[in-house]
């Protein structure tokens, strides 16, 4: 849900009031709640994301009408429900009409909220806003709190139902993947040997893998083992092909892909291929460098450093994935595999608060502005659209200006604040159909 409206109608007041109703805020990090412009709010069991467009990055000399058009644009592309706020004290203004025009024709439901209806007189006068032609109208007073509950009831009715997604396996799902003979089966056996409790073996759930539920300390994990049924459809000369296929299917339904590689064999094309699938699918990833007992000196820091450098160089697209060195044969490093994977799962579902995100993006673009062909890229606003993987939407003046290398620069800037270790993050560029007068 997005709250739009010209300045001073009371958007931030309502936003803060709605946060007062919340029973759960997901993205809480101490110290940055002050400038929160987006939050999870809950009303009658329905959780929804709330965006206050007061947080849009506009400079002081951007004209009001441009701000309004940008708001409308953002709301229409981001929101399931738009709250269009107007002011009963001021009555109808040109800016309100402008905003109504910008929102006209959208398929997103729009509710007009006439704020500052503090007394009966204003309630009667508020009927003039029907002439905006936007349909439903509610009168509220954010200061007194009257009418707010009715608005929320209506919002919850209008939100799309998310039935069906809920019944899914809630366990953190780890898929053990990698090319043949790197030690996947051996690793799975070690993991199950270390297990606290195997809850159940879900045999035959798929032809591609064996799922095992286990409890690791207090956490429920599902292990997706792609190696265990290797003997099944083995066709001459196609072992690699099927292992990639199995990996692909397992990766598609996991939270964390545990990419097992052979620490004695160097980095191969097969490793890179599976790694590429993990990134494409947007899964979290850790790399298990197995058979480390076979190296000259498994304890040597230098050897670990050297291997890491080679791996980073060969597989730059997995730069976010931590490396864990193991011997499945000697049972070393096995616990570390699970703890690292669970940390990665956490980052995969992590939301960076919108206030912090916008501060980081703004700082980064101030330090190193980007322009091409005489045109400067402007980033108005950044928002965390989804998680798993963390996906950030950037609203910019010109999407074509957003070169890949610049996005990587921004990603690195974000990762300096929240490392997101073990998870890819996605930056999506959206053009705000807003044109400043000077462009
Ligand atoms: P925004 O620019 O739309 O975010 O507006 P603000 O939330 O900052 O509010 C602008 C001003 O309107 C503030 O001084 C608020 O205290 C005031 N205000 C907000 N809601 C009400 C209300 O219901 N009644 C009255 N009388 N004033 C309100
Ligand atoms: P998968 O095809 O990836 O499931 O690989 P397997 O688990 O079947 O292992 C392939 C071979 O590597 C077997 O002979 C294992 O005994 C051996 N192996 C697996 N892990 C290790 C390890 O950590 N150290 C050593 N030295 N050998 C290993």
């Amino acid at each position: 849900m997005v709250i739009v409206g010209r300045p001073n109608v009371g958007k931030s007041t309502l936003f803060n009031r709605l946060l007062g109703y919340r029973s759960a805020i997901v993205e809480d990090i101490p110290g940055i709640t002050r400038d929160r412009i987006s939050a999870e709010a809950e009303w009658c069991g329905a959780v929804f994301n709330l965006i206050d467009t007061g947080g849009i990055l506009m400079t002081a000399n951007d004209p009001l009408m441009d701000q309004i058009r940008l708001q409308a644009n953002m709301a229409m592309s981001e929101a399931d429900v738009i709250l269009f706020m107007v002011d009963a004290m001021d009555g109808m203004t040109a800016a309100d009409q402008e905003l109504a025009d910008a929102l006209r024709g959208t398929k997103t439901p729009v509710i007009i909220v006439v704020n500052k209806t503090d007394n009966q007189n204003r309630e009667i006068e508020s009927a003039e806003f029907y002439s905006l032609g936007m349909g439903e109208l509610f009168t509220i007073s954010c200061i007194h709190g009257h009418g707010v509950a009715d608005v929320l009831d209506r919002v919850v009715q209008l939100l799309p139902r998310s039935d069906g997604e809920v019944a899914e396996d809630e366990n953190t799902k780890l898929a053990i993947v990698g090319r043949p003979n790197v030690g996947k089966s051996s690793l799975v056996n070690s993991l199950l040997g270390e297990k606290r409790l195997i809850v159940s073996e879900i045999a035959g759930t798929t032809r591609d893998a064996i799922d095992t539920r286990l409890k690791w300390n207090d956490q429920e994990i599902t292990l997706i083992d792609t190696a265990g049924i290797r003997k099944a459809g083995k066709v001459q000369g196609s072992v690699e092909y099927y292992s990639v296929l199995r990996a692909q299917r397992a990766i598609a339904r996991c939270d964390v892909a545990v990419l097992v590689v052979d620490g004695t064999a160097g980095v191969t094309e097969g490793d890179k291929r599976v790694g590429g699938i993990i990134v494409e699918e947007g899964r979290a990833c850790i790399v298990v460098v197995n058979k480390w007992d076979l190296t000259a000196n498994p304890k040597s820091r230098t050897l670990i450093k050297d291997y890491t450098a080679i791996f980073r160089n060969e597989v730059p697209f997995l730069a976010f994935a931590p490396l864990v060195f193991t011997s499945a044969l000697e049972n070393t490093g096995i616990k570390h595999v699970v703890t690292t994977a669970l940390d990665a799962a956490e980052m995969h579902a992590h939301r960076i608060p919108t206030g912090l995100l916008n501060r980081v993006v703004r700082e980064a673009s101030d330090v190193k502005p980007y322009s091409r062909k005489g045109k400067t890229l402007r980033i108005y606003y950044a928002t965390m659209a989804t998680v798993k993987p963390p996906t950030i939407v950037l609203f910019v003046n010109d999407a074509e200006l957003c070169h890949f290398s610049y996005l990587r620069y921004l990603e690195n800037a974000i990762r300096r604040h929240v490392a997101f270790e073990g998870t890819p993050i996605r930056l999506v560029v959206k053009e705000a159909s807003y044109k400043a007068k000077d462009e």
Side-chain angles (χ1 to χ4, degrees), residues 316-359:
F317 54 84
L318 283 181
F320 62 84
L323 268 51
V324 180
F325 294 79
T326 61
S327 166
L329 209 63
E330 295 181 355
N331 237 4
T332 55
I334 305 304
K335 279 183 190 141
H336 199 205
V337 169
V338 182
T339 51
T340 309
L342 290 177
D343 287 348
E346 210 174 304
M347 293 323 291
H348 195 227
H350 182 72
R351 279 182 185 277
I352 178 168
T354 309
L356 173 65
L357 175 64
N358 278 278
R359 205 156 53 232

Side-chain angles (χ1 to χ4, degrees), residues 183 186-188 190 290-293 326-332 334:
S186 311
L187 180 69
V188 167
S190 297
N290 191 38
K291 305 195 187 180
W292 200 243
D293 57 286
T326 61
S327 166
L329 209 63
E330 295 181 355
N331 237 4
T332 55
I334 305 304

Side-chain angles (χ1 to χ4, degrees), residues 39 61 77 81 99 101 117 128 134 138 146 186 213 219 225 241 262 269 310 314 326 351 375 390 409 419 422 436:
N61 51 13
S77 64
V81 180
L99 184 51
D101 286 341
T117 315
E128 71 167 315
M134 304 303 293
F138 287 80
H146 115 85
S186 311
R213 283 193 188 167
Q219 280 198 271
D225 169 16
Y241 170 81
D262 182 338
E269 283 310 308
I310 292 169
E314 293 266 336
T326 61
R351 279 182 185 277
K375 199 166 180 196
Y409 163 73

Side-chain angles (χ1 to χ4, degrees), residues 8-11 13-14 84-90 112-118 122 129 138-143 146 148:
N8 278 318
V9 293
K11 295 185 297 299
T13 311
L14 177 63
F84 178 175
M85 187 177 273
V86 293
D87 185 328
M89 267 161 82
D90 292 348
I112 301 233
V113 176
V114 188
N115 188 33
K116 307 192 190 176
T117 315
D118 305 336
R122 288 193 195 149
F129 290 106
F138 287 80
T139 54
I140 68 168
S141 164
C142 286
I143 299 260
H146 115 85
V148 176

Side-chain angles (χ1 to χ4, degrees), residues 41 56 103 108 114 119 167 175 197 212 220 284 363 373 380 404 410:
I56 288 182
L103 290 173
T108 312
V114 188
N119 56 49
L197 170 72
T212 308
E220 306 255 336
E363 271 166 25
K373 293 183 187 151
Y380 300 120
F404 175 73
L410 290 176

Side-chain angles (χ1 to χ4, degrees), residues 57-329:
L57 306 178
M58 298 293 278
T59 52
N61 51 13
D62 284 316
L64 175 63
M65 293 306 171
D66 289 336
Q67 284 195 43
I68 283 188
R69 255 170 265 138
L70 177 59
Q71 265 189 19
N73 208 259
M74 203 272 263
M76 288 186 290
S77 64
E78 289 289 286
D80 296 318
V81 180
I82 299 172
L83 288 198
F84 178 175
M85 187 177 273
V86 293
D87 185 328
M89 267 161 82
D90 292 348
M92 179 94 77
T93 70
D96 295 333
Q97 276 157 341
E98 185 79 20
L99 184 51
D101 286 341
L103 290 173
R104 215 174 301 285
T106 179
K107 291 196 175 67
T108 312
V110 179
I111 302 175
I112 301 233
V113 176
V114 188
N115 188 33
K116 307 192 190 176
T117 315
D118 305 336
N119 56 49
Q120 210 170 8
N121 253 352
R122 288 193 195 149
E123 180 117 29
I124 294 162
E125 283 162 14
S126 69
E128 71 167 315
F129 290 106
Y130 276 112
S131 70
L132 288 172
M134 304 303 293
E136 280 184 276
L137 184 149
F138 287 80
T139 54
I140 68 168
S141 164
C142 286
I143 299 260
H144 299 153
H146 115 85
V148 176
D150 293 336
V151 172
L152 287 182
D153 285 346
R154 187 63 186 129
V155 167
V156 168
Q157 282 170 5
L158 290 170
L159 288 174
R161 300 254 159 262
S162 58
D163 301 350
E165 287 171 39
V166 197
E168 261 284 298
D169 183 353
E170 295 283 334
N171 286 2
T172 304
K173 295 189 271 307
L174 314 185
I176 314 297
V177 295
R179 57 190 182 82
N181 284 318
V182 292
K184 294 184 298 299
S185 307
S186 311
L187 180 69
V188 167
N189 288 336
S190 297
L191 282 169
L192 296 181
E194 289 269 353
K195 59 140 204 330
R196 299 300 181 267
L197 170 72
I198 299 184
V199 179
S200 61
E201 272 204 23
I202 319 163
T205 31
T206 84
R207 289 196 304 112
D208 300 294
I210 294 171
D211 289 9
T212 308
R213 283 193 188 167
L214 55 122
K215 237 187 162 135
W216 190 274
N217 296 327
D218 281 336
Q219 280 198 271
E220 306 255 336
I221 301 173
T222 299
L223 214 57
I224 303 173
D225 169 16
T226 57
I229 40 155
R230 174 160 34 149
K231 278 119 218 146
K234 195 167 178 179
V235 180
Q236 275 293 325
S238 57
V239 178
E240 180 92 26
Y241 170 81
Y242 280 104
S243 78
V244 171
L245 188 68
R246 272 198 298 272
Q248 193 139 30
R249 295 200 186 137
I251 290 164
R253 62 192 180 90
C254 76
D255 295 300
V256 184
V258 176
L259 174 59
V260 186
V261 301
D262 182 338
T264 64
V267 184
T268 70
E269 283 310 308
D271 299 331
K272 291 183 196 172
R273 196 161 168 204
V274 181
I277 298 166
I278 295 168
V279 175
E280 249 168 60
E281 290 284 341
R283 305 292 90 195
C285 178
I286 70 167
V287 178
V288 169
V289 185
N290 191 38
K291 305 195 187 180
W292 200 243
D293 57 286
L294 295 177
T295 54
N297 178 6
K299 292 237 153 67
S300 160
R301 289 261 118 216
T302 321
L303 276 183
I304 288 177
K305 254 201 189 134
D306 289 351
Y307 185 92
T308 305
I310 292 169
F311 190 89
R312 294 296 180 222
N313 186 46
E314 293 266 336
V315 199
F317 54 84
L318 283 181
F320 62 84
L323 268 51
V324 180
F325 294 79
T326 61
S327 166
L329 209 63

